[in-house]
Amino acid sequence: MARAGRPGPDDGLNGFIIQHGTDIMITRILCGALGAAAIIAIQSSAVSAETFGKGDIVVETPWTRATPGGAKVAGGYMRITNNGSESDRLIGGSSDIAERFEVHSMEMVGGVARMAPVEGGLKIPPGETVELAPGGYHIMFMGLGRAIKEGERVTGTLVFERAGTVDVVYPVAAMGVRMAPGADGHDRGHGGQDAPRGETR
């Protein structure tokens, strides 16, 4: 029998100590999980910072590539999603690096890349995503005023027929790469062909 004032093995205190220790361990685990969730949330915010939009249009991960000195053109890429119930069109835009902005298509004909402006603007059907990527649809920045350097950020606008003007920022990747800066996974571009020397698409 336990002495008065000192808990014995059957008075429940030992169970309380064990339970209390378990609670501390669970609390530490939960704190660790919450900390990890906070880090993930911060990282997600950094990713979402490269998403732009207006109305039903969402523009994800716009980017461009560095150019050699003397180059007069550069390409721009992104994913455009139309969350609305009606089609919209990308009909124009601007940038702080070039005199002109055009939307181009590209196809391989006899092993030669042929590019042409998209007449009437690039259609973004309702509920769909259109990707502008190396080897496919892309933006052409024409009449560059200077070389574009890897690591800088180019500002510009996209003009949609229905949504209006959307301000965007293009992080600049290295010459010749086929994915957005910091992107993971496989290349989502089309075609797999590099641009001819001195030409960016």
Side-chain angles (χ1 to χ4, degrees), residues 1 4 30 36 44 57 68 93 95 98 108 114 119-121 130 148 151 170 173-174 177 191-192 200:
M1 180 175 181
L30 288 175
S44 297
I57 293 295
S95 76
M108 301 300 295
R114 292 189 176 178
E119 299 296 336
V130 175
I148 309 172
Y170 303 83
V177 303
T200 306

Side-chain angles (χ1 to χ4, degrees), residues 75-189:
Y77 317 102
M78 67 199 74
R79 287 165 55 88
I80 304 173
T81 299
N82 182 356
N83 292 319
S85 58
E86 298 183 66
S87 292
D88 206 337
R89 288 180 181 273
L90 175 59
I91 56 175
S94 65
S95 76
D96 64 356
I97 55 170
E99 296 175 356
R100 301 200 321 275
F101 174 109
E102 294 183 3
V103 183
H104 280 208
S105 63
M106 198 211 80
E107 60 178 345
M108 301 300 295
V109 179
V112 178
R114 292 189 176 178
M115 293 183 291
V118 179
E119 299 296 336
L122 179 61
K123 183 178 180 179
I124 316 296
E128 294 188 21
T129 296
V130 175
E131 184 162 11
L132 285 69
Y137 289 119
H138 58 281
I139 300 301
M140 287 296 292
F141 301 116
M142 308 180 74
L144 295 181
R146 60 177 177 81
I148 309 172
K149 298 180 180 180
E150 179 183 356
E152 70 173 301
R153 294 164 67 82
V154 172
T155 60
T157 65
L158 302 172
V159 180
F160 293 88
E161 191 172 61
R162 295 182 59 83
T165 301
V166 178
D167 294 326
V168 294
V169 177
Y170 303 83
V172 180
M175 294 185 195
V177 303
R178 299 183 62 80
M179 297 180 68
D184 295 322
H186 299 293
D187 178 14
R188 295 182 303 187

Side-chain angles (χ1 to χ4, degrees), residues 55-69:
D56 295 320
I57 293 295
V58 176
V59 179
E60 298 177 272
T61 322
W63 64 286
T64 186
R65 294 187 284 207
T67 60

